[in-house]
Amino acid sequence: EIESIKGNKTFKFVPRTHASAIPKKMRRSTLKSLRTHFVFRAKPDKDGKLLKLKARLVANGNNQEEGINYFASYAPVISSPVLKVQFVHGLINGMEAESWDYSSAFLQGRLDEIIYITLPGDPTEYGIDTPEGCRILLEKSIYGLVQAGNVWFNLLKSSLLKAGFEQCPYEQCLFIKRFEDGSSVNITTYVDDLCVTSDSQENLDSTFKILSTDLKIGNREKLSWHIGMRFRRSGNSATIDQSAY
């Protein structure tokens, strides 16, 4: 987690006088540093066995103030019925289906608000030294911020539109890119998890290359497990279940 934070240049150290440029009416609330803490969890694989241990640096977003250090918080996710329709549509039309997910998604979105944080415990123990007379200013989002989901979705949407996708006017989390030969790539988004279907493996590969150049995609695999659901295909039939629960 710390390496991801450093690699994404999530925060920077600024002099304590940095806040003097903030308008007085906003200064009192903005000057407060948000506390952060680590959240640890065990991530299971598709069979419920331990896959890996994860740690997240999480901000105490409950202390944020609307209109001061956050303005928008809404972030849509794909609905279960639309995701199932996408899967069945792909099955009927003989499409390839894959699952992609982004690495450290929330750490990639740039913030417009001024937010200072304090790190938990002794930061030197996990390789972060705060220069004397400085405080920590967030440049990018971290988990726990009220606007984190909104910032990430807008970044992802921008990346998809730049890659030639069109956003469905009736479903915010459905993006479609059509090619001259009549083929298409269809993407549904659930936070940082993407379900991708296409009638051209070549188009899937080229799309993955374009999107992973813009934002880092961690995993790419054939669709079998996605946001807690198991997808199985056998010839012209398919099943969807939640056996992991």
Side-chain angles (χ1 to χ4, degrees):
E1 176 71 358
I2 297 301
E3 292 305 314
S4 294
I5 289 172
K6 290 180 178 179
N8 282 296
K9 298 180 179 179
T10 303
F11 60 72
K12 67 178 180 181
F13 299 106
V14 296
R16 292 193 174 275
T17 55
H18 178 269
S20 61
I22 301 171
K24 288 185 177 180
K25 65 180 181 179
M26 298 176 60
R27 196 175 297 172
R28 182 178 177 183
S29 296
T30 305
L31 280 174
K32 297 178 182 177
S33 294
L34 285 181
R35 297 179 63 184
T36 61
H37 58 278
F38 284 109
V39 172
F40 302 94
R41 78 180 184 95
K43 183 177 181 179
D45 62 14
K46 60 185 180 181
D47 298 315
K49 298 178 181 178
L50 178 64
L51 179 62
K52 61 181 177 180
L53 300 174
K54 299 185 69 174
R56 291 291 189 206
L57 180 67
V58 179
N60 291 11
N62 57 297
N63 292 323
Q64 289 182 254
E65 294 186 41
E66 185 176 6
I68 300 295
N69 46 27
Y70 83 91
F71 296 91
S73 59
Y74 175 69
V77 294
I78 194 66
S79 65
S80 178
V82 174
L83 178 61
K84 293 173 182 177
V85 168
Q86 179 191 14
F87 176 64
V88 174
H89 173 265
L91 177 70
I92 293 173
N93 291 280
M95 292 182 166
E96 298 292 332
E98 296 184 354
S99 177
W100 305 350
D101 75 85
Y102 287 88
S103 298
S104 303
F106 282 13
L107 304 183
Q108 301 187 55
R110 187 165 295 277
L111 291 173
D112 295 323
E113 302 85 358
I114 297 175
I115 300 177
Y116 300 102
I117 63 168
T118 58
L119 296 174
D122 180 3
T124 59
E125 293 183 354
Y126 43 86
I128 296 179
D129 296 309
T130 305
E132 186 176 351
C134 291
R135 63 194 309 190
I136 299 172
L137 173 68
L138 284 179
E139 292 199 289
K140 295 184 178 179
S141 178
I142 62 173
Y143 295 86
L145 292 181
V146 175
Q147 67 267 50
N150 176 270
V151 171
W152 164 249
F153 179 77
N154 288 331
L155 178 64
L156 176 57
K157 174 184 172 181
S158 175
S159 176
L160 290 168
L161 295 179
K162 186 169 67 175
F165 282 84
E166 295 179 353
Q167 186 179 27
C168 175
Y170 308 107
E171 172 53 68
Q172 296 182 73
C173 296
L174 171 61
F175 297 83
I176 301 171
K177 182 176 181 178
R178 296 178 175 85
F179 296 82
E180 292 181 356
D181 61 0
S183 62
S184 66
V185 175
N186 313 298
I187 292 180
T188 53
T189 67
Y190 191 99
V191 191
D192 56 352
D193 292 310
L194 274 57
C195 180
V196 190
T197 57
S198 178
D199 41 11
S200 167
Q201 185 63 51
E202 181 181 351
N203 289 340
L204 271 181
D205 295 338
S206 63
T207 299
F208 179 84
K209 184 176 180 180
I210 293 171
L211 293 181
S212 59
T213 300
D214 195 27
L215 298 170
K216 185 179 178 182
I217 300 178
N219 295 314
R220 177 189 181 185
E221 57 186 21
K222 293 293 184 181
L223 182 65
S224 58
W225 289 87
H226 188 68
I227 59 172
M229 291 187 283
R230 179 171 61 174
F231 297 82
R232 291 187 291 182
R233 302 171 65 170
S234 178
N236 294 324
S237 64
T239 59
I240 303 173
D241 64 58
Q242 292 181 289
S243 61
Y245 290 99

